[in-house]
Amino acid sequence: MSHLLTRLALRRLVAGGNCGRYLPSSLSVTPGAAGAAMAVVKPWDDVAVVRGQGLGALVGQWRRMVSSVPEHAAPPEKEKKESGEAAVMGEKNDEMMVSSYWGISKKRIVREDGSDWPWNCFMPWETYHSNVTIDLKKHHKPKNFIDKVAFRTVKILRIPTDIFFQRRYGCRAMMLETVAAVPGMVGGMLLHLRSLRKFEQSGGWIKALLEEAENERMHLMTMVELVKPKWYERLLVLAVQGVFFNAFFVLYVLSPKLAHRIVGYLEEEAIHSYTEFLKDINSGAIENVPAPVIAIDYWRLPKDATLKDVVTVIRADEAHHRDVNHFASDIHFQGKELREAPAPLGYR
């Protein structure tokens, strides 16, 4: 009977742990009275003879002896950090901090007064004081067929805008900025591709046009803080942007001089719209609310700046964009390429 019990115990030991082949040669199991098991372990001094233990205890002790994991180690499910993990989150100074596996981390940036810089979309060194003394009355008189086409095109585009927005200049400005930010991006992108194809420098014009697009986008981010667009205005933005982007892309490929001239006239219309905006603010038709914080930081306005101050600096920006695009068109009319003339970097 004892032989039968011993054979059953050995079979269960081998089948249950599926590791009978890893048993050390020094571990032997012999039959004992009443089916008890006795394990004799020779190599280790601290464990000499284990008597009277059941099969489960014996297997558990053997697994602890052959295991390479110390008893005090944390369970595997708690070890979630891997060397290839992209990012881990932690809390520091009551703020969520991100430590990147790739070594990318945000440095602490402060304002001049020592407070933390709140924006990720632009940095302090990208801010500036707008030159509001620029001549707002400059106008390029159409001289040839292309100039006349550009001028008439802009005047025709103004008709539906006047009908739809009338004197709602906040919504009008928001819509205009969604369009005004497109030409600089398209022009800069096409010049970038041309530079890659022809292995030549752009003369700084890629950066100049992308600066213009970024500046127009900041106008939009400011106006969104002041005017909350309705759902149908958002749909209109989608439609207008989709049509205008593709149309301007084709136009710039076919005739950069015409494309820049159209943008120059669009900026002249923007100056006119913002001038009317200021008239309504001065007359009280539009409340002169405090300026958004993003505008105060971007244009380095005083802390008590108002909507009037914001519209004034945006109008000055549009005047600078007018000059840049008319200048670019004049370069093309002279039969030259933009890279042959110095780009107006930082002209604002």
Side-chain angles (χ1 to χ4, degrees):
M1 184 66 180
S2 61
H3 290 287
L4 178 60
L5 292 175
T6 302
R7 289 172 61 186
L8 289 175
L10 288 174
R11 287 181 181 178
R12 299 179 83 180
L13 176 62
V14 174
N18 197 24
C19 54
R21 60 186 174 183
Y22 298 113
L23 285 171
S25 59
S26 59
L27 181 61
S28 61
V29 181
T30 61
M38 179 180 69
V40 181
V41 184
K42 297 180 179 178
W44 298 278
D45 294 334
D46 57 336
V47 180
V49 178
V50 179
R51 297 178 180 270
Q53 293 185 349
L55 182 61
L58 178 63
V59 174
Q61 183 173 351
W62 173 77
R63 287 182 177 175
R64 286 195 297 270
M65 288 188 296
V66 300
S67 175
S68 61
V69 181
E71 293 184 6
H72 61 271
E77 57 270 14
K78 292 184 179 180
E79 298 177 359
K80 296 182 179 179
K81 292 186 179 181
E82 297 292 339
S83 61
E85 190 174 6
V88 294
M89 304 298 292
E91 294 218 1
K92 184 178 180 182
N93 299 327
D94 297 331
E95 293 183 1
M96 191 63 71
M97 304 296 292
V98 178
S99 177
S100 174
Y101 169 71
W102 305 109
I104 301 173
S105 60
K106 180 182 177 181
K107 297 180 180 179
R108 186 170 182 265
I109 302 174
V110 297
R111 293 191 177 102
E112 293 180 355
D113 59 2
S115 60
D116 288 335
W117 184 256
W119 312 106
N120 290 327
C121 53
F122 65 97
M123 294 293 111
W125 51 86
E126 297 174 332
T127 64
Y128 63 98
H129 292 286
S130 184
N131 178 20
V132 296
T133 62
I134 188 172
D135 187 358
L136 302 173
K137 297 181 179 180
K138 281 184 180 180
H139 169 64
H140 182 275
K141 295 181 179 180
K143 300 176 182 178
N144 49 50
F145 177 75
I146 291 181
D147 285 353
K148 292 177 182 179
V149 169
F151 183 76
R152 293 300 176 187
T153 299
V154 173
K155 290 297 183 183
I156 292 173
L157 291 176
R158 181 179 170 177
I159 294 174
T161 306
D162 290 341
I163 295 174
F164 185 82
F165 292 106
Q166 297 182 1
R167 296 195 69 82
R168 294 186 297 126
Y169 285 107
C171 296
R172 185 191 189 105
M174 181 196 65
M175 173 61 71
L176 286 175
E177 297 302 345
T178 63
V179 173
V182 171
M185 178 60 65
V186 172
M189 176 184 66
L190 290 175
L191 288 179
H192 174 73
L193 295 176
R194 179 188 178 92
S195 176
L196 297 178
R197 289 195 311 271
K198 295 195 171 184
F199 309 101
E200 62 186 19
Q201 297 291 337
S202 68
W205 277 94
I206 295 174
K207 187 174 181 180
L209 294 179
L210 293 180
E211 280 183 354
E212 176 185 317
E214 173 65 12
N215 183 248
E216 297 284 10
R217 191 184 64 83
M218 289 304 301
H219 294 176
L220 176 62
M221 296 298 101
T222 300
M223 297 310 301
V224 168
E225 294 290 326
L226 297 167
V227 181
K228 303 302 180 182
K230 300 180 175 61
W231 66 269
Y232 58 85
E233 292 172 336
R234 290 179 179 271
L235 289 179
L236 183 61
V237 168
L238 290 174
V240 172
Q241 188 182 82
V243 172
F244 185 75
F245 176 87
N246 289 283
F248 192 81
F249 181 90
V250 174
L251 178 63
Y252 202 96
V253 171
L254 297 177
S255 178
K257 67 176 103 176
L258 176 60
H260 280 293
R261 190 67 78 199
I262 288 177
V263 177
Y265 286 129
L266 283 173
E267 299 294 356
E268 290 184 16
E269 291 298 330
I271 295 171
H272 173 77
S273 295
Y274 282 115
T275 300
E276 294 297 316
F277 198 166
L278 286 172
K279 288 181 180 179
D280 283 1
I281 293 175
N282 292 330
S283 66
I286 298 177
E287 183 181 359
N288 190 22
V289 297
V293 179
I294 189 172
I296 293 175
D297 287 340
Y298 184 69
W299 283 286
R300 302 180 187 176
L301 298 173
K303 293 184 178 180
D304 59 347
T306 61
L307 175 60
K308 180 179 179 180
D309 300 317
V310 174
V311 174
T312 300
V313 295
I314 291 178
R315 183 179 63 173
D317 286 347
E318 304 294 1
H320 287 86
H321 300 329
R322 170 204 63 193
D323 295 348
V324 171
N325 281 277
H326 280 313
F327 174 60
S329 184
D330 289 343
I331 294 172
H332 284 294
F333 269 107
Q334 295 174 8
K336 298 180 180 179
E337 296 183 0
L338 292 182
R339 64 186 180 86
E340 300 180 50
L345 292 172
Y347 177 70
R348 54 192 180 186

